[in-house]
Amino acid sequence: MRAAVERGDPFAVYRALALGRLTGRLRQHRDTVKALLGNRRLFARPMKQGSGPFLGTFNGFGATLMGAAEKDGTTQIATHVAVAVFFIPLFPFGAYVVSPAGGGAMHRSWRLFARVPLTFGTWLWQRTLSLGALAAVLYAGYGAFHATQHHVLHVLNGLNEPVNVTLGNSTMHVPPGGRQVIDLPVGTVRGIAKLDSGAEVDDQQISVRSGSQKLVWNVAGAAPLMLGEIRYTSDRATASNDQGAEPTIYCGQRVVSIANVDFAFADPPKSISMPKGSNVIVRHHLAVVPVERKGPDLCIGYLMSTGKLTEVLPLLELAARSSGWDPARTWTLLVVARVVAPDRAIPLAEAALREKPDSIAHHRMYQALSSFRMSVADLQARYRARADGAPSSAGAQYLYARLLRGPAGVEAVQAGVARFPDSPDFLRYLLAVEVTRGRWKQAQEAWERLSRLAPDEAGDVLDDGITSLVALGRVPEARRQLFERFPKWQRHVQARAAVLDARLASLSHASDGDRLVKKVEGDSTDAVMRVRAGLSGGGEGSVEKPIADYQRIVLTAPEKVPAAASALPPMASVGLSEAEWALSWCECVRLGEQACRQSLERSLHYSAYDLEALARFVRGDAPSIEVIALEPTVRAAALLVRSRSPSLASGERDRLVAEARQADWVHDQIIDAIPAWTRPAAR
Amino acid sequence: MDSTRRTLIPKAFLALGLWVGFWGLSLVIAGALFWVPFAQGTSGDGVDPLGWLAVAAGAGVLWAVRPRGWFTKKESGWAALSPEEAPRLHAFVQEVASRCGAARADEIGLEGGAGASIGIERRGLRRIRRVNIGFPLFAFLDREELSAVLAHEFGHHQGGDLLLGPWVYRTRASLAQAVDSLEGSAFFLDVPFRAYGRMFLDVSGSVSRGQELAADARSVSAYGRRAAWSALEKIHRLAPRWSVYLHAVAISVIEHGCRVPLLEGFRMFLARQTLREDLQRRVEEIEARAPTPADTHPPLGERLAAIDVHGRALAASRDDGSGCLDLLGGEQGAETLFYARATRGKLREVGWADVGRDVLAPAEVERFAEGPLALERVGPRELPRLLADWSSLAQSLSGGGPSFLSPAAERTRVHHLLERWLTAALIKRDFVPTLEPGAAMTLSRGSETVDPAVVLLALIEGRLSASEYLARCQRWDVRG
């Protein structure tokens, strides 16, 4: 009280009195204090010169004078308050001795005489609000400061198993397909992601900077992170005309920093308020594309389809490893590795073999890869040692036998089948050898036995099996087998079966040639497959453009093949049919076009030794191709392309074309291509 | 480097530091508040309502500390005394300056208080050194003592205090303006400025007190301990009384267009054994004021002890002496110079003996010519009724405007008014008022002397009954 008086602050005196009354310290002066507190005019201060309180409201928001306390004649005490929403008083600024002048309740004019203290309760409320506001501003300041020193990192796990992430000193568990956030100090932080098995899947030096951009660590680049535009339009007409930009997909990108994101990993609102005169407002939405099956397949497919093979390779390796080196995934990995990182292909194949030492499929891939790096003698020696080390292993014997060529190879396969009659590997190899030798009955028997013992394996040599039946004149039976066994095969085998069924239907003048094609197509139409099947139809919209264009060139304009093959996207050759590939590759070989040839040698279907033997035949350096086991379509293509050599006599050329026509037992695309490919070649 | 310059440099740095500190504090607070939305916008998810609140608070701080009045022309005081008006004073002051080794004063002025000051004013490109001497000093200080006072002021000049003064003044003004603007700020924005202001006053007060002691030391070295001690003691003893006399007694008469003998009145004021109660209370309030850390001058005891710690000079200091009014051409001439500067228009000369009758009586009668206490309608007999129903009287006196007084204060106000009304009523009944400086006004008619204040108090306290009072009123109504 004394301090307030000495300070000359009447408001402080009033508050000191009120506090003294509340605490009972002024009990002996109760009546006096009560009288003093009941008359705030006693504590009045003059108005500051030229600085009256702001009075004005707009739509119920602003500041006004409220209340009429301690009326005295024509004057009263009113409180100056901030109001909002229908004049609800929010914050009391001060109190004044006023005299109301004209105007209504909400638009009254006032005459102000002096400032008086707020009632103690109102003052406490004001100070509480003030403290709250001060604390809030301080908190906002702290938050802003924190924001300049930290940034939120979103960690995405697009894999199909959980990862344990270490970021500096922090660790976190991210479930499959999940997302976690962590607040990191600015600077560089090392992030390591490991599977539960301990296998490391990612290791990044992440640069953390403050800002409003969204920082995302997409572990291994596996999650289909997408930045899309959300376009809010004022009317339906604008909406229908406004398609917006294509979304940006961040598959394969490990650490991304994305600016101008309005909605991050949250559903954007259905509608927003738009300023007048604006037809379209664009907002940016960052999200992970929802997938039915957790895992990196969507990103792998996206990257493969867009030719981003460098980015997809780590994902493929991760997918192959996490799948336990599934043969299909391993095959894709090795094919891509051969294209973008040739030095890594064999180490990867060896890594797969370490995990799957007895897998025939993996050894086949390894042999194919190795054939491009080592001599046939070395590879044979390696597998001979392996076969000698495991004489009772059908697989070891098969893997050695399949490296032998000519009579030795035939003898080895016959011996193998005799010793291991139930070995699917020997049976499929025997089937290929017998088809190559034209021994259709033996081939058909091998096919039947293989189909019984291992239907899946039989699918891999479908062309040989069906060709043997056709060569024996059993076309209806071939179609029946295709139709009955169709559901059991894998999808890529089903696609080939549908093509073969259509070709055989044409051969036998049946009208149901598209019965299996329709099953493969489902609700859509696959124009490329229909061309391969010799069927009409197929909308333009469903055509896979690069393949369709190339397919057209192969069948109608062989002189353009070398250039078109060289220009094919990196992995497009994998999507060609046997006939399309074989015609193209053989023509490139015949013309000595190395770029074109290498562009087509991306599949691991044939070893380098087989390709070289085939090349020698196409170039006319070898009299026959009987020494290698080729699918009938490839054999037909080789014959047809060899016939294009200008140095051949016309009789010889006709003979080769006739052989090609005959070799294409199922009347596949080779027959379709003959008219164009038998036109005189320029060179 | 001489000692003056050596002491000036740290003071200059301190003054500049305090000035820079104020602006630094302002800019840091405003900058911190503006930084919040900036950081939110650049590093966060955008500016939120709290960010906008910080912007508003930052703008409020900048608005509150905006420079005001830095370059407005300041009042330089009363017109200077020209050498023609006060040739002896000019010669005297320049002699003191010369003896102190200080630069001559460009101007010499009078001021109303019992003190002296020195300052530098800018007029265009010129810097005018002006010495102001308090009017009463001429009456109560002898030449030696006045020389000591002037030597003290020249000591400020020699110490370089005048160069730093404007910086301190500006900072003080800016702080005061900032605190005034932010007073009651919803966000406690005035708190840091109040804290800085307290620190500033403490620091600048401490420096200022040091400057005063240094100026005292220069005064002593020029005119000796006795003169310095005596001047200081006299000024501190007389200044509160002079202030009360001038403002509460003399000016209230001068306001009526009269010229009263100012110094004579003050001597009468000093000579009184007891002062009127309210005047005595004012004097005591001034004298009892406790020292604070913000004081620019040290307490008297400290200053005297610095001059002569043993107090040997005390014995010689009690003689008020005859002053040195001859420097202004004698008492009459001095007052002429004072009135010429302190007042405007032509004044009527009135002696203190006639002030009550010739000045105050007509004014009081005039005052109650109209209104609820009009003398023609309401006579002294009404006093008991008016006292009993004082609140109705207060209401009718307020004229409908707001009242800011407590009931007790309102009652006191009404009592004062009734006291003056009774005085006017008695004057109308041929009572003659007498006012001695420092005493209450008394009214006398023949052998009867009435002090309206005493009558009123007795009536209020019941020492005088209504019937007794009415009997006196009956006597008053009988004109002498």
Side-chain angles (χ1 to χ4, degrees):
Chain A
M1 176 77 76
R2 177 185 292 275
V5 172
E6 286 177 352
R7 219 163 64 217
D9 182 350
F11 290 9
V13 174
Y14 174 85
R15 290 193 293 270
L17 282 172
L19 192 63
R21 186 186 177 200
L22 276 178
T23 56
R25 280 188 300 173
L26 300 173
R27 197 173 290 122
Q28 67 273 29
H29 306 295
R30 184 184 301 164
D31 293 337
T32 308
V33 171
K34 186 179 177 186
L36 288 171
L37 294 177
N39 188 356
R40 282 184 281 161
R41 286 176 173 80
L42 303 181
F43 305 90
R45 275 186 192 166
M47 301 285 295
K48 288 183 188 174
Q49 199 169 7
S51 62
F54 167 77
L55 295 174
T57 55
F58 180 74
N59 287 342
F61 289 81
T64 187
L65 287 166
M66 280 189 165
E70 300 178 29
K71 286 189 176 178
D72 179 21
T74 58
T75 64
Q76 63 197 42
I77 293 180
T79 306
H80 181 222
V81 289
V83 294
V85 192
F86 302 116
F87 294 91
I88 296 170
L90 292 181
F91 184 85
F93 291 114
Y96 294 85
V97 176
V98 300
S99 172
M106 291 296 122
H107 300 286
R108 177 165 287 154
S109 58
W110 305 86
R111 187 172 173 209
L112 282 73
F113 295 100
R115 296 183 295 157
V116 290
L118 291 165
T119 62
F120 192 64
T122 311
W123 179 80
L124 276 180
W125 172 238
Q126 184 211 45
R127 292 290 94 179
T128 305
L129 288 177
S130 299
L131 274 176
L134 180 67
V137 170
L138 287 174
Y139 178 75
Y142 166 77
F145 177 74
H146 187 273
T148 62
Q149 302 299 309
H150 293 76
H151 197 70
V152 169
L153 173 71
H154 300 258
V155 183
L156 303 181
N157 176 15
L159 305 175
N160 51 6
E161 54 186 306
V163 293
N164 299 300
V165 169
T166 305
L167 282 155
N169 296 323
S170 306
T171 57
M172 62 170 71
H173 183 82
V174 191
R179 177 176 66 92
Q180 294 276 25
V181 293
I182 183 171
D183 201 30
L184 293 173
V186 293
T188 301
V189 63
R190 186 181 181 193
I192 300 173
K194 292 181 178 177
L195 301 176
D196 282 345
S197 63
E200 186 177 302
V201 292
D202 207 347
D203 183 350
Q204 296 292 321
Q205 291 290 334
I206 300 169
S207 175
V208 181
R209 285 178 300 166
S210 66
S212 57
Q213 76 283 3
K214 301 297 173 196
L215 183 63
V216 182
W217 179 19
N218 183 4
V219 173
L225 180 66
M226 179 192 77
L227 179 68
E229 280 188 358
I230 309 290
R231 302 179 80 81
Y232 293 97
T233 52
S234 56
D235 55 72
R236 287 173 188 275
T238 310
S240 59
N241 295 331
D242 188 9
Q243 298 303 315
E246 287 289 317
T248 306
I249 308 289
Y250 293 95
C251 279
Q253 295 184 43
R254 312 285 181 99
V255 178
V256 288
S257 180
I258 305 166
N260 302 322
V261 175
D262 300 296
F263 313 110
F265 306 109
D267 291 336
K270 300 277 184 211
S271 61
I272 60 171
S273 61
M274 299 175 73
K276 274 186 179 175
S278 178
N279 289 328
V280 179
I281 285 185
V282 178
R283 295 283 183 266
H284 293 92
H285 180 214
L286 184 67
V288 176
V289 178
V291 290
E292 283 182 14
R293 246 183 54 196
K294 291 186 174 72
D297 289 350
L298 186 64
C299 268
I300 289 174
Y302 170 77
L303 293 170
M304 295 278 283
S305 66
T306 52
K308 295 177 178 172
L309 300 187
T310 306
E311 288 89 340
V312 82
L313 183 62
L315 266 184
L316 286 171
E317 181 179 345
L318 200 58
R321 285 182 188 276
S322 63
S323 70
W325 297 100
D326 169 75
R329 288 184 183 277
T330 306
W331 178 83
T332 310
L333 168 67
L334 296 179
V335 168
V336 172
R338 268 201 73 209
V339 175
V340 296
D343 293 341
R344 288 207 61 211
I346 287 184
L348 282 170
E350 288 170 345
L353 278 182
R354 278 194 294 276
E355 293 292 319
K356 298 280 185 184
D358 298 324
S359 165
I360 300 299
H362 290 83
H363 277 286
R364 279 201 207 103
M365 286 182 254
Y366 176 76
Q367 287 181 347
L369 270 177
S370 299
S371 69
F372 290 90
R373 292 295 178 99
M374 65 173 72
S375 69
V376 66
D378 288 345
L379 195 59
Q380 284 174 349
R382 184 175 294 185
Y383 275 89
R384 180 173 186 171
R386 195 170 181 277
D388 291 346
S392 59
S393 166
Q397 302 306 317
Y398 160 75
L399 288 170
Y400 171 60
R402 75 187 294 269
L403 293 175
L404 301 174
R405 292 290 177 269
V410 173
E411 192 179 320
V413 72
Q414 285 174 338
V417 170
R419 189 171 170 202
F420 306 103
D422 292 336
S423 164
D425 301 310
F426 269 118
L427 283 173
R428 61 183 278 175
Y429 191 43
L430 177 65
L431 171 60
V433 168
E434 297 297 12
V435 167
T436 303
R437 296 169 71 195
R439 287 160 45 102
W440 306 113
K441 188 164 182 352
Q442 289 80 353
Q444 191 273 327
E445 286 170 1
W447 162 249
E448 289 301 328
R449 188 169 177 76
L450 176 64
S451 297
R452 247 190 345 269
L453 289 170
D456 280 351
E457 294 272 332
D460 289 344
V461 286
L462 179 65
D463 270 57
D464 288 339
I466 296 301
T467 300
S468 66
L469 282 170
V470 173
L472 290 170
R474 293 156 62 179
V475 173
E477 185 182 348
R479 287 199 74 203
R480 182 179 55 77
Q481 284 190 7
L482 287 169
F483 189 77
E484 289 175 358
R485 295 174 185 174
F486 178 84
K488 297 176 185 170
W489 286 322
Q490 292 182 358
R491 186 165 176 75
H492 71 280
V493 179
Q494 285 179 333
R496 180 59 186 161
V499 169
L500 288 172
D501 184 59
R503 288 289 178 179
L504 295 184
S506 170
L507 202 59
S508 57
H509 306 291
S511 59
D512 58 348
D514 60 354
R515 59 180 183 172
L516 294 182
V517 168
K518 282 181 177 172
K519 286 188 178 182
V520 173
E521 288 177 332
D523 294 334
S524 60
T525 306
D526 187 339
V528 170
M529 185 171 69
R530 282 183 171 267
V531 170
R532 287 172 185 162
L535 296 171
S536 60
E540 189 67 21
S542 66
V543 172
E544 204 177 338
K545 191 75 175 155
I547 298 291
D549 289 347
Y550 188 75
Q551 188 182 49
R552 196 174 306 115
I553 288 170
V554 169
L555 296 180
T556 60
E559 68 281 1
K560 295 180 181 174
V561 162
S566 300
L568 273 174
M571 292 302 294
S573 64
V574 177
L576 300 177
S577 69
E578 283 296 317
E580 290 157 3
W581 176 83
L583 284 170
S584 307
W585 187 86
C586 290
E587 181 68 358
C588 293
V589 166
R590 186 184 73 79
L591 296 173
E593 297 276 0
Q594 284 303 312
C596 154
R597 176 178 169 175
Q598 284 172 3
S599 168
L600 294 164
E601 283 180 4
R602 284 173 179 166
S603 163
L604 295 175
H605 196 68
Y606 294 101
S607 70
Y609 317 135
D610 290 340
L611 291 175
E612 184 50 36
L614 183 60
R616 285 176 56 230
F617 173 76
V618 170
R619 288 195 299 262
D621 299 337
S624 77
I625 47 174
E626 306 304 329
V627 292
I628 50 176
L630 295 174
E631 286 181 2
T633 304
V634 178
R635 179 183 161 79
L639 290 164
L640 180 58
V641 173
R642 181 171 170 164
S643 75
R644 287 167 59 79
S645 173
S647 60
L648 291 179
S650 63
E652 176 66 5
R653 186 177 298 123
D654 293 343
R655 183 186 65 79
L656 286 169
V657 172
E659 278 189 39
R661 194 186 299 277
Q662 188 184 3
D664 188 6
W665 288 96
V666 294
H667 282 211
D668 200 0
Q669 287 172 284
I670 303 298
I671 300 287
D672 298 343
I674 283 175
W677 285 72
T678 51
R679 283 197 298 268
R683 47 179 178 145
Chain B
M1 189 185 290
D2 61 30
S3 62
T4 301
R5 181 163 292 185
R6 268 203 305 277
T7 57
L8 185 59
I9 289 172
K11 287 180 197 169
F13 273 112
L14 183 64
L16 193 63
L18 289 170
W19 184 82
V20 169
F22 167 75
W23 288 105
L25 176 71
S26 309
L27 295 177
V28 163
I29 292 173
L33 288 165
F34 285 133
W35 176 85
V36 171
F38 173 77
Q40 284 181 337
T42 55
S43 301
D45 294 327
V47 184
D48 61 16
L50 290 174
W52 292 117
L53 195 62
V55 169
V61 168
L62 288 185
W63 179 253
V65 301
R66 71 192 188 281
R68 280 165 281 186
W70 279 12
F71 305 105
T72 53
K73 190 170 171 59
K74 295 175 181 66
E75 289 290 328
S76 58
W78 294 342
L81 293 164
S82 67
E84 292 75 27
E85 286 176 306
R88 288 182 188 171
L89 178 63
H90 272 269
F92 174 75
V93 171
Q94 306 308 7
E95 183 193 328
V96 172
S98 170
R99 184 162 169 178
C100 294
R104 292 164 64 91
D106 299 313
E107 280 186 358
I108 300 168
L110 275 182
E111 60 183 31
S117 63
I118 187 167
I120 292 178
E121 290 175 21
R122 281 189 179 278
R123 289 184 198 156
L125 296 176
R126 289 183 63 208
R127 288 154 61 90
I128 305 296
R129 206 165 23 258
R130 174 172 170 139
V131 173
N132 287 319
I133 306 169
F135 175 66
L137 301 190
F138 291 98
F140 298 98
L141 301 185
D142 61 25
R143 284 190 174 225
E144 281 292 297
E145 290 163 345
L146 187 59
S147 299
V149 170
L150 292 172
H152 170 97
E153 299 305 326
F154 282 120
H156 281 307
H157 182 231
Q158 288 173 297
D161 306 343
L162 304 185
L163 297 173
L164 305 176
W167 292 93
V168 176
Y169 169 78
R170 280 183 198 135
T171 310
R172 194 184 296 239
S174 297
L175 269 167
Q177 287 163 350
V179 170
D180 183 59
S181 295
L182 295 170
E183 181 195 27
S185 159
F187 301 108
F188 300 92
L189 292 172
D190 55 331
V191 172
F193 291 102
R194 281 186 195 280
Y196 188 85
R198 273 195 293 277
M199 186 275 290
F200 171 81
L201 288 177
D202 288 357
V203 172
S204 63
S206 170
V207 171
S208 178
R209 290 194 295 276
Q211 291 170 342
E212 292 300 327
L213 291 174
D216 283 346
R218 287 195 177 88
S219 170
V220 167
S221 71
Y223 287 95
R225 287 197 174 100
R226 193 210 70 83
W229 177 297
S230 179
L232 205 53
E233 191 277 332
K234 277 184 185 175
I235 289 172
H236 274 264
R237 180 157 48 84
L238 296 174
R241 283 170 170 74
W242 170 260
S243 175
V244 172
Y245 162 73
L246 182 68
H247 294 103
V249 179
I251 289 179
S252 63
V253 176
I254 296 170
E255 278 175 342
H256 289 98
C258 300
R259 174 179 159 175
V260 288
L262 213 49
L263 294 173
E264 181 196 326
F266 186 50
R267 279 192 284 271
M268 292 164 72
F269 186 90
L270 289 176
R272 289 198 65 80
Q273 292 293 320
T274 55
L275 291 176
R276 205 170 73 206
E277 188 186 343
D278 61 318
L279 301 177
Q280 182 64 35
R281 196 168 54 244
R282 286 200 199 189
V283 170
E284 286 169 359
E285 274 178 9
I286 298 172
E287 288 179 335
R289 188 182 156 278
T292 69
D295 284 348
T296 56
H297 288 64
L300 175 64
E302 188 181 334
R303 294 181 72 178
L304 293 178
I307 292 170
D308 184 353
V309 72
H310 302 298
R312 280 193 291 270
L314 182 62
S317 71
R318 280 295 177 185
D319 175 20
D320 284 351
S322 57
C324 53
L325 285 164
D326 60 303
L327 293 173
L328 294 174
E331 185 164 331
Q332 186 71 19
E335 292 203 1
T336 301
L337 292 171
F338 174 84
Y339 276 108
R341 281 156 181 79
T343 62
R344 291 196 189 108
K346 187 170 172 54
L347 301 179
R348 178 162 58 103
E349 286 198 29
V350 182
W352 280 108
D354 303 326
V355 161
R357 187 191 62 215
D358 294 350
V359 180
L360 299 180
E364 293 295 304
V365 171
E366 171 73 20
R367 176 174 181 169
F368 295 103
E370 300 289 339
L373 291 175
L375 294 171
E376 293 298 327
R377 287 185 283 108
V378 187
R381 288 169 177 276
E382 300 291 330
L383 185 59
R385 182 186 60 79
L386 293 170
L387 282 173
D389 190 20
W390 65 268
S391 56
S392 299
L393 178 61
Q395 213 163 6
S396 59
L397 288 170
S398 71
S403 170
F404 297 97
L405 298 175
S406 68
E410 193 72 62
R411 191 172 55 199
T412 304
R413 186 174 79 92
V414 170
H415 288 174
H416 278 301
L417 198 70
L418 288 174
E419 182 188 325
R420 298 182 72 173
W421 167 77
L422 182 59
T423 302
L426 291 175
I427 290 169
K428 287 275 282 184
R429 283 158 182 76
D430 300 330
F431 277 79
V432 176
T434 307
L435 178 68
E436 279 189 25
M441 185 187 287
T442 57
L443 296 152
S444 54
R445 189 177 69 177
S447 60
E448 186 180 7
T449 299
V450 178
D451 183 342
V454 172
V455 171
L456 202 72
L457 191 62
L459 202 54
I460 292 165
E461 292 176 349
R463 286 185 281 110
L464 178 66
S465 68
S467 57
E468 287 172 331
Y469 172 74
L470 288 174
R472 291 179 77 170
C473 286
Q474 204 167 10
R475 207 165 57 239
W476 293 341
D477 282 342
V478 179
R479 296 195 179 258

